[in-house]
C-alpha cells in the first residue's frame, strides 16, 4: 500500500505593490521572515510603508518598528504618496513606532519585565527563555505584518560584541517564526550589494531575500529589484526594473535593466 | 532632397504592424524623419515619437509648419527635461537622457498600452542613441522595444544614418526589422 502524503496547505500574502506580486507564482508564504537589502535611497523603506498601507487598508494588523526616521516623518512620506496613514492608524490596523537602539532588550513574558540590554552582556543561556524586542507591549495588537527598519541599526548597537548580535538575531528570527507574523527586516548595503546583511548570517536565517539595486548608468541611476530567495514559493529569477513614482513603487516584472548589463 | 515617392511607395506596400529601418544621410535626416511622419500620420490614428535628436518645443513647431496634427502625437523627449520640467502639456514625457534605456523602454511600453487606435512608434534616431550607449546594450534595448511593438501589434520606423560606424549593430537592428529602406 502506498503511503499517502498529506501536503500542508500553504497560505500566501501579497504586498499590493504594482508588478511586484507578479514576480511570484502565488505570493509570499505567510509567516516568512524576509530580508530587504539595498543601498541608501534604493526604496526599501518606501516599499515597506506601501506594503503596510495596502495590507492595513485590507484589514490586516501592521506594525512598523523603526530605529531611524521619526513617526512624523514616516507619516509625512506616506501622505506624500497619498496613502492616508492617519486614517489607517485611527482604524487600529497600522502602528508606527520609533525605537531607540538603546531599547534593544529582551522581554520576560512571564513577569512582564524588560530584562537585559544585550549590548551590556554576552550571550547568556538563561536569556533563551526570553523574547527579543518589546513587540508584546500591547497584548491586544497581534500584527499580521511587521517591518523592522533596520537590522543595520540594531547591529550597530552590538559593535564589538558580534557574538551577542548573532545570538540576538538568531533569537529574533525564531521569535518572528513563533508569533507567525510575516516580517520584513531591512538591511543597509552598498548600491550594488554583494553582501546582504551585517554579518551574512541573517540571509541564511531569513526565509526570503529581496534585493534593491540602484545601478549607475552614465550619469543616471536606474532602480531595480530582485528576489534572490523565497523558501516555499516559485519566483522569477531576474533583476527587473522598479520605479519610485508619485503614487509609490511600481515594479516592471518583464523589463530588463540596462544599467545592470554594464557591470 | 529625399525621394518622397520611393519612400511612400515602399511604406504603403507594408502591413500596418510592420517595422522599418529607414537609412539616410546626416543632411537628409530631418527631412526623412518629417516625410516618414507625414506618411505614418495618414496611415495610423496616433503616434509615439521617441526623440533624442530635437527637443519637444522644436519638434512641435516643425510639425505645425509641416501640417502634422500634433494632437495625434505623443512625444518622449530625452533631451530637454532640465529646461521644461514644469511644462503643462499632455502629449509629452520628459526623460533624463538618451542613456536612460530602462526608463525609455518602460515609457514606450506604457505609451503603447495607453495610446488608443492604430498606433505607430518613430525612433529618431538610432545613431544619436548609440553616442550615449554601448553598442551591445543598445542592440538589446532595440530588441526589447521591437518585441514590445510586435506583442502590441504596433508598427513603426527607426531612423538611422547610413554610415559605416557600428556596422554590427546596424546589421542586428536591420535583422529585427521587416524592411530596410535607403533614401
Amino acid at each position: 500500500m502506498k503511503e499517502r502524503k498529506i501536503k500542508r496547505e500553504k497560505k500566501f500574502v501579497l504586498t499590493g505593490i504594482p508588478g511586484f506580486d507578479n514576480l511570484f507564482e502565488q505570493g509570499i508564504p505567510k509567516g516568512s521572515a524576509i530580508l530587504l537589502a539595498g543601498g541608501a535611497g534604493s526604496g526599501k523603506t518606501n516599499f515597506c510603508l506601501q506594503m503596510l498601507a495596502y495590507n492595513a487598508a485590507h484589514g490586516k494588523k501592521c506594525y512598523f518598528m523603526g530605529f531611524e526616521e521619526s513617526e512624523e516623518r514616516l507619516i509625512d512620506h506616506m501622505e506624500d504618496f497619498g496613502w492616508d496613514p492617519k486614517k489607517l492608524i485611527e482604524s487600529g490596523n497600522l502602528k508606527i513606532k520609533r525605537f531607540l537602539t538603546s531599547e534593544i532588550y529582551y522581554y520576560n513574558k512571564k513577569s512582564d519585565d524588560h530584562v537585559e540590554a544585550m549590548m551590556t552582556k554576552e550571550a547568556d543561556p538563561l536569556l533563551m527563555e526570553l523574547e527579543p524586542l518589546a513587540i508584546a507591549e500591547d497584548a491586544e495588537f497581534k500584527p499580521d505584518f511587521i517591518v523592522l527598519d533596520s537590522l543595520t541599526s540594531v547591529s550597530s548597537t552590538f559593535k564589538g560584541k558580534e557574538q551577542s548580535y548573532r545570538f540576538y538575531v538568531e533569537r529574533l528570527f525564531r521569535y518572528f517564526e513563533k508569533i507567525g507574523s510575516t516580517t520584513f527586516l531591512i538591511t543597509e548595503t552598498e548600491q550594488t550589494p554583494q553582501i546582504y546583511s551585517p554579518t551574512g548570517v541573517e540571509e541564511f536565517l531569513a526565509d526570503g531575500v529581496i534585493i534593491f539595486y540602484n545601478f549607475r548608468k552614465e550619469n543616471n541611476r536606474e532602480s531595480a529589484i530582485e528576489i534572490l530567495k523565497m523558501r516555499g514559493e516559485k519566483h522569477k529569477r531576474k533583476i527587473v526594473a522598479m520605479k519610485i513614482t508619485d503614487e509609490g513603487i511600481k515594479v516592471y516584472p518583464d523589463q530588463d535593466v540596462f544599467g545592470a548589463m554594464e557591470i | 532632397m529625399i525621394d518622397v515617392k520611393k519612400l511612400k511607395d515602399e511604406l504603403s506596400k507594408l502591413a500596418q504592424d510592420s517595422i522599418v529601418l529607414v537609412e539616410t544621410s546626416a543632411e537628409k535626416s530631418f527631412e526623412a524623419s518629417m516625410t516618414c511622419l507625414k506618411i505614418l500620420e495618414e496611415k495610423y490614428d496616433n503616434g509615439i515619437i521617441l526623440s533624442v535628436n530635437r527637443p519637444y518645443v522644436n519638434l512641435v513647431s516643425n510639425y505645425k509648419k509641416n501640417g502634422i496634427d500634433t494632437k495625434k502625437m505623443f512625444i518622449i523627449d530625452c533631451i530637454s527635461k532640465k529646461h521644461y520640467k514644469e511644462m503643462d502639456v499632455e502629449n509629452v514625457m520628459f526623460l533624463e537622457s538618451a542613456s536612460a534605456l530602462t526608463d525609455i523602454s518602460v515609457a514606450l511600453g506604457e505609451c503603447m498600452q495607453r495610446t488608443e487606435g492604430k498606433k505607430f512608434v518613430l525612433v529618431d534616431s538610432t545613431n544619436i542613441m548609440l553616442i550615449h550607449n554601448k553598442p551591445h546594450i543598445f542592440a538589446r534595448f532595440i530588441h526589447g522595444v521591437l518585441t514590445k511593438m510586435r506583442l502590441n501589434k504596433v508598427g513603426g520606423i527607426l531612423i538611422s544614418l547610413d554610415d559605416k560606424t557600428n556596422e554590427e549593430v546596424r546589421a542586428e537592428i536591420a535583422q529585427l526589422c521587416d524592411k530596410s529602406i535607403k533614401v
Side-chain angles (χ1 to χ4, degrees):
Chain A
M1 201 176 147
K2 270 187 182 175
E3 193 180 327
R4 197 171 155 205
K5 281 184 183 171
I6 299 167
K7 205 173 173 183
R8 197 160 52 107
E9 200 181 318
K10 271 186 207 161
K11 286 186 180 164
F12 296 89
V13 295
L14 297 176
T15 63
I17 291 167
F20 180 76
D21 295 320
N22 300 98
L23 296 172
F24 298 100
E25 202 171 78
Q26 297 182 83
I28 295 172
K30 196 179 172 200
S32 299
I34 319 284
L35 207 66
L36 303 182
S42 60
K44 305 177 296 296
T45 303
N46 283 340
F47 179 97
C48 290
L49 292 171
Q50 191 171 345
M51 183 270 302
L52 293 185
Y54 171 84
N55 280 290
H58 285 79
K60 303 289 180 199
K61 300 280 182 205
C62 301
Y63 193 10
F64 188 98
M65 306 173 70
F67 289 92
E68 289 167 17
E69 291 176 271
S70 68
E71 289 93 340
E72 292 74 25
R73 222 172 145 167
L74 291 164
I75 288 167
D76 280 351
H77 288 328
M78 293 178 86
E79 281 176 339
D80 288 345
F81 288 116
W83 300 332
D84 208 353
K86 284 175 182 159
K87 193 178 155 196
L88 298 170
I89 291 167
E90 279 165 23
S91 75
N93 286 341
L94 178 65
K95 194 169 163 182
I96 298 175
K97 192 175 175 193
R98 184 194 205 179
F99 291 81
L100 297 171
T101 45
S102 57
E103 287 179 286
I104 297 170
Y105 42 64
Y106 271 76
Y107 178 79
N108 187 347
K109 257 178 102 180
K110 287 171 195 164
S111 65
D112 269 11
D113 283 341
H114 296 141
V115 185
E116 292 282 351
M118 275 305 295
M119 58 275 201
T120 62
K121 200 170 168 75
E122 287 299 323
D124 179 346
L126 289 173
L127 293 174
M128 296 296 281
E129 298 301 315
L130 307 171
E131 307 291 17
L133 285 166
I135 295 169
E137 65 174 19
D138 177 1
E140 296 300 305
F141 191 79
K142 291 194 166 50
D144 298 293
F145 292 88
I146 297 172
V147 169
L148 182 75
D149 188 9
S150 66
L151 265 185
T152 314
S153 297
V154 174
S155 73
S156 66
T157 312
F158 289 86
K159 207 170 180 188
K161 296 190 183 294
E162 281 71 26
Q163 173 122 5
S164 291
Y165 173 70
R166 282 199 191 92
F167 170 77
Y168 183 85
V169 158
E170 202 184 329
R171 293 286 300 142
L172 196 62
F173 276 93
R174 297 290 160 259
Y175 176 62
F176 287 140
E177 191 183 316
K178 201 174 92 182
I179 62 172
S181 305
T182 306
T183 312
F184 294 81
L185 302 114
I186 292 174
T187 68
E188 291 289 337
T189 66
E190 290 174 4
Q191 295 293 355
T192 310
Q194 303 290 326
I195 296 166
Y196 309 114
S197 56
T199 68
V201 170
E202 297 88 333
E203 61 222 60
F204 293 104
L205 292 169
D207 299 301
V209 179
I210 297 168
I211 307 165
F212 291 74
Y213 295 98
N214 204 354
F215 296 112
R216 185 174 173 178
K217 188 171 185 297
E218 299 246 313
N219 52 355
N220 301 311
R221 288 276 178 189
E222 291 190 340
S223 299
I225 195 165
E226 179 189 17
I227 299 163
L228 186 73
K229 157 184 165 181
M230 191 63 64
R231 281 184 194 132
E233 171 62 335
K234 286 182 186 158
H235 58 88
K236 208 165 238 193
R237 295 190 168 275
K238 195 181 172 189
I239 298 172
V240 298
M242 184 188 100
K243 282 182 88 167
I244 304 172
T245 71
D246 292 345
E247 289 88 35
I249 286 177
K250 204 170 170 189
V251 172
Y252 299 86
D254 299 312
Q255 179 60 57
D256 284 328
V257 184
F258 297 99
M261 295 174 193
E262 293 200 349
I263 294 164
Chain B
M1 289 278 282
I2 65 160
D3 189 342
V4 178
K5 189 178 178 305
K6 181 193 169 191
L7 194 56
K8 239 180 184 170
D9 289 347
E10 296 264 22
L11 291 174
S12 62
K13 282 181 218 160
L14 296 166
Q16 200 88 48
D17 55 1
S18 297
I19 302 169
V20 181
L21 178 66
V22 171
E23 295 176 280
T24 186
S25 65
E27 296 76 29
K28 293 176 188 169
S29 167
F30 186 65
E31 190 191 354
S33 175
M34 280 295 155
T35 307
C36 286
L37 196 54
K38 280 176 109 170
I39 297 167
L40 292 169
E41 192 203 11
E42 286 171 19
K43 208 172 164 182
Y44 297 85
D45 299 324
N46 292 298
I48 302 157
I49 321 293
L50 174 62
S51 179
V52 291
N53 209 347
R54 285 173 184 249
Y56 168 78
V57 172
N58 181 276
L59 279 183
V60 168
S61 150
N62 277 292
Y63 291 171
K64 282 179 181 164
K65 268 185 219 161
N66 284 276
I68 294 164
D69 185 358
T70 53
K71 286 181 196 137
K72 289 167 73 177
M73 306 298 156
F74 187 89
I75 298 163
I76 300 172
D77 175 332
C78 301
I79 36 176
S80 53
K81 185 174 180 175
K82 58 185 168 197
H83 302 292
Y84 302 112
K85 261 181 194 166
E86 301 298 324
M87 190 175 278
D88 188 23
V89 279
E90 283 181 356
N91 68 333
V92 65
M93 178 190 282
F94 294 103
L95 296 181
E96 285 300 333
S97 80
S99 67
L101 294 182
T102 307
D103 281 353
I104 296 171
S105 184
V106 166
L108 280 169
E110 286 183 338
C111 285
M112 282 185 229
Q113 297 277 325
R114 203 172 49 218
T115 308
E116 290 175 351
K118 289 180 285 178
K119 54 215 158 193
F120 68 87
V121 169
L122 179 83
V123 178
D124 189 11
S125 72
T126 58
N127 299 71
I128 304 286
M129 293 195 84
L130 270 163
I131 297 171
H132 297 269
N133 297 284
K134 289 177 183 160
H136 71 285
I137 292 173
F138 179 66
R140 287 188 70 166
F141 162 79
I142 288 291
H143 190 195
V145 168
L146 266 49
T147 304
K148 279 183 191 175
M149 288 169 71
R150 303 262 186 227
L151 290 171
N152 287 287
K153 295 188 168 50
V154 174
I157 290 177
L158 312 179
I159 308 280
S160 174
L161 293 187
D162 184 16
D163 62 13
K164 300 292 171 204
T165 55
N166 292 303
E167 272 291 300
E168 264 182 49
V169 179
R170 186 245 159 236
E172 281 173 41
I173 295 173
Q175 191 194 347
L176 295 167
C177 293
D178 298 300
K179 195 175 178 62
S180 297
I181 303 171
K182 289 192 182 189
V183 289

